[in-house]
Structure formats: C-alpha cells, structure tokens
C-alpha cells in the first residue's frame, strides 16, 4: 500500500484549527450554565438597584418577568445574530468571521462584568443581548468551518466536537455558578469574566490556522491559496491533490452565488430544507431544553434536598454522551444515531409522564425519574443534539451552506427561546401530560428521519448535493446509487 495513502488524516494543524474554533462554543456553553445557581443573588441585585432609584422594591411578578427577560434575551440575540452568518461567512471567510464574532463575546462579557460596578441591571441585559449575537453567529460558523477543513472520513466526528465543547462549557458554568465557588453576592460579576480566557486564546490561536480551502477555491477562485491551505491541513501530497480535485468538481456543479430567496424556492433545496427543519425542531422541542432549564425545580418538586447537585449530574451526563457521540458518529452514521435518539426521547417522555403522574401516590418513583432524566439527556446528546447542528452543512452545496447554517441556528435558538417561554405555563396547564407533547415531537422527528434523511457518512459534499439535484420528486430511498439505509 502507498505510504502516503495510509497516512493518518489527523495532523497537528487540523487539530489546532478545530480546537481553536470550538473555543467559541465553550464560551456559549459557559454563559448558558452559569446563571442558574446564582439566580436569586442576581435577582436581589436587580431589586436593590431598583430600590436605589425608585425607593421601593420590585413586585414579585415584575422581578420574575425582568429575570426571564435577562435569561432569554441571549437566545433572542442569537436569533438576530443568525441573520448575519451568510454576509460574514461569504465576505470575510469562515475563519476570519469567527474572529470577528469573538469580539462580540468579549464586548458582551465586559458589559456583564461591569453591570455590578455601574449598579445597572440594564447593562447586564445588554451584555447578554450582545453575547447572544455572538452565539447565533458562532454556532453556525463553527460547524461550517470545521466541516470544510475536515477530511470526509472525520467530518462528522470533528463537527461533533463543537457540541462536546458546548456541553463542557455548560457543565463548567454550572460548577462555577455554585455558591461554594463564584456564585456569591461578592463574586457573581467576576464569574462572568472567565469566558474572556477562551476568547483570548481564540484570538491568539485562530489567526495561525488556515482558511477553509473550499471557501478559497469555490467562493474566491484562489486555487493556489486553497492548495496551500490543504497542504497545511493534510501534509500528504496524495490527499491534497485528491481533495483538490473533489473541490473543483463541486465548484463545477455549484452556482456562483445563492440569494436567500433562491435558497427557499430552488427545487433541489426543498428536501434538505424540510430535513433540517424537522430534525432541528424535533431536537429542540423534544424535552431536552426543558430539563436543562428546569431540572433543579423538577428535582425539588420530587422531594430531593439538594437538587442542585443532581443538576450537576445532568451536566456531567450531558458532557459524557457528547463524547460518546464523537466516537460513534463516523461508525454508526448520522441516520442511525438520529433514529435511536428520537425513539429513545419519545420513550423517555412517555415514561416521564407516567412517573410524574404517579409520583404523589408512589414517592419511591422519584429515583426512577432521575434515571429517566439522565437517559433522556444521553439520548439527546448521542444523536439529535450534535447532529442537528451540522447536518445542514452536509446536505447543501457550497453557495447555500452559509444560509443553511444560519437557518439551522435560527431553528435551534428559536426552539430554545420558544421552550423557555412556553414550558412553565404549559406545565401549569397540562401538568405531567406536557411530556406527551414532547413525545409527539420526537416521534415526528423519528418518522421524517426514517422516511427522508439519507446517510451522509463517508460521502463527499458533491456526492450528497448530486443526489438532491437528481431527486426531482423521486423519494431518496428509490434513487439508484444512493444507499440511504446503510
């Protein structure tokens, strides 16, 4: 066998590029997990600030609304940030766009840090809004950059690292937010500053990483620079030439540009758009986010004395199974993991309904509820969680890929925002039966994945795009040459 062909696809520069990119999702996870434990302390800061201005405390309802706004405005900012993905990615490139977005993270964190010194909760809310803009950009740009610099055989695994970093950030935020660490009246503002460390590391490392070769060749027509970037990423002359040929083939089939209007009306994009829509909404509205946001309240209602430590368990399980997904995604494939994940989510939600209904008559079921929560988290992270974030980049060609990732980000953050807004009133109205709604959504994701999603494992971008170009109303599983169910 040719030694060059047998050379490992993982190089130092490739690992450095991906590691530098996922520092952004680590920051997002951190600011997702760090506000839950010190919530009462920060709300008290809101109250004291209001009293110093108006000589009276906020009413409980007003304080609840103001705190809900403070927490959820990050996801609203992410929705707005998603709108800028295509403009940034196509104008400045994938790598430089991540660096530009990183400046929003620094600005947002600084505003959150100084909010206590300025005695202004408005500054804290503004900081979370600015940080939300960063979230919407980076959770689209990261998978885009990672998939375009990764070799085909490791594309899914490396894209999953974005979710591993995000989940690790959530767990880190949960730990740092404890009242035994920095989640105290004295140090809560300092707690917000820790995200500046990975932000600074990204500013130091990412400029030394290559730009996406696909962007350089297909978007900019710079073949020599694309080849130079590939040489840094692969080091194998054989692999560089082989991949360069594959990118040129994709360039021959791709339009020079695709507008947002064309994206939603072009026939070959309709099937991938529906797949991205169902997979992402199925992922976000199948119960995971309700548990991440409200697990402490759930465990308190079940009678546990120290629910915050069970919530830490949720964070630990979350990280563990994203790592499991990293090792499985290139072996089992995207389709199989999604099917297993959605089916498991549906079963867990059904059992959650039963246990929550019987909890008052059989208190011993509280232990089973904890097990179900952990199982639901693991089911989400093995399949729907990480795959929903990058599947859009695999189903579309180069000109449409930034729009697809912006669409993915809007669906994900829109689903998070919707669930954060509606879960408390739904729980009040429906009680335990709210989990049946999550079960229905999970079954919808399962059904559509089974019927329409092709397996993308081991296939080049051009091979996947070619199948959708050729569908013309024919179901994918009837297409010759495309083994959907492997």
């Amino acid at each position: 066998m040719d030694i060059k062909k047998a050379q490992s696809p993982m190089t130092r520069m490739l690992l450095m590029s991906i590691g530098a990119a996922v520092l952004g999702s680590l920051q997002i996870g951190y600011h997702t997990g760090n506000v839950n434990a010190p919530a009462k302390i920060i709300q008290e800061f809101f109250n004291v600030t209001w009293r110093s201005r108006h000589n009276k405390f906020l009413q409980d309802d007003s304080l609840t609304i103001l705190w809900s706004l403070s927490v959820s405005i990050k996801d609203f900012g992410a929705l707005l940030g998603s709108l800028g993905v295509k403009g940034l990615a196509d104008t400045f490139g994938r790598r430089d766009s991540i660096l530009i977005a990183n400046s929003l993270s620094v600005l947002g964190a600084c505003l959150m840090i100084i909010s206590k010194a300025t005695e202004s909760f408005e500054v804290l809310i503004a900081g979370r809004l600015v940080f939300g803009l960063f979230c919407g950009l980076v959770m689209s740009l990261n998978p885009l950059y990672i998939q375009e610099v990764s070799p085909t055989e490791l594309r899914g695994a490396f894209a999953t690292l974005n979710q591993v970093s995000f989940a690790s950030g959530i767990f880190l935020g949960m730990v740092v937010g404890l009242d035994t660490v920095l989640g105290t009246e004295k140090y809560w503002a300092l707690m917000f500053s820790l995200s500046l460390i990975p932000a600074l590391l990204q500013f130091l490392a990412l400029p030394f990483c290559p730009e996406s070769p696909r962007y350089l060749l297909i978007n900019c027509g710079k073949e020599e620079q694309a080849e130079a970037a590939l040489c840094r990423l692969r080091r194998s002359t054989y692999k560089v030439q082989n991949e360069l040929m594959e990118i040129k083939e994709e360039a021959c089939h791709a339009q020079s540009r695709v507008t947002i209007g064309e994206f939603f009306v072009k026939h070959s994009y309709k099937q991938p758009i529906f797949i991205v829509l169902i997979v992402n909404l199925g992922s976000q509205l199948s119960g995971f986010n309700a548990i991440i946001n409200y697990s402490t309240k759930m465990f308190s209602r079940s009678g546990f004395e120290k629910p915050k430590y069970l919530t830490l368990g949720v964070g630990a399980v979350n990280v563990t199974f994203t790592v499991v997904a990293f090792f499985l995604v290139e072996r089992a494939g995207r389709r199989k993991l999604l099917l297993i994940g959605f089916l498991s989510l549906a079963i867990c939600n059904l059992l959650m309904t039963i246990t929550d209904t019987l909890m008052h008559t059989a208190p011993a079921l509280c232990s089973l509820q904890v097990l179900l929560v952990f199982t639901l988290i693991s089911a989400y992270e093995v399949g729907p969680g990480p795959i929903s974030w990058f599947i859009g980049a695999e189903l579309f060609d180069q000109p449409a890929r930034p729009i697809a990732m912006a669409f993915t980000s809007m669906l994900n953050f829109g689903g998070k925002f919707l669930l954060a807004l509606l879960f408390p009133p739904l729980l009040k109205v429906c009680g335990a039966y709210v989990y049946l709604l999550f079960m229905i959504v999970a079954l919808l994701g399962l059904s559509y994945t089974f019927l329409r999603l092709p397996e993308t494992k081991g296939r080049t971008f051009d091979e996947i795009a070619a199948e959708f170009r050729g569908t013309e109303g024919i179901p994918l599983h009837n297409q010759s040459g495309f083994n959907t169910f492997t």
Side-chain angles (χ1 to χ4, degrees), residues 279 332-347 379 382-384 387 442-453 455 484-486:
V279 168
R334 289 63 151 157
R335 189 171 184 278
K336 189 177 293 184
L337 291 181
L338 280 173
L339 290 173
I340 293 171
F342 280 131
L343 178 61
S344 301
L345 286 169
I347 293 171
V382 163
I387 294 173
L443 289 175
L444 176 63
L446 173 72
S447 302
Y448 204 83
T449 298
F450 179 76
L451 293 172
R452 293 294 178 185
L453 179 67
E455 181 53 73
T484 299
F485 297 105
T486 56

Side-chain angles (χ1 to χ4, degrees), residues 30 32 38 92 104 115 140 169 176 256 268 278 298 327 337 378 410 414 421 434 448:
Y30 178 73
T32 300
F92 299 101
L104 291 173
S115 61
S140 299
V176 173
S256 58
S268 61
I278 299 298
M298 288 172 58
F327 288 104
L337 291 181
S378 62
M410 291 182 71
L421 196 66
V434 70
Y448 204 83

Side-chain angles (χ1 to χ4, degrees), residues 127-153:
R128 285 186 66 82
L129 176 63
V130 172
F131 189 81
L133 296 174
F134 163 76
C135 296
L137 289 168
V138 164
M139 287 305 279
S140 299
L141 293 168
N142 273 7
L144 192 62
Y145 177 71
I146 290 170
Q147 290 211 318
E148 290 186 6
V149 300
S150 299
T152 300
E153 63 268 32

Side-chain angles (χ1 to χ4, degrees), residues 178-197:
L178 292 173
D179 54 11
T180 52
V181 190
L182 294 180
T184 63
E185 184 180 355
K186 184 178 181 180
Y187 293 115
W188 65 262
L190 178 63
M191 175 187 71
F192 290 125
S193 69
L194 295 188
S195 67
L196 293 176
I197 298 172

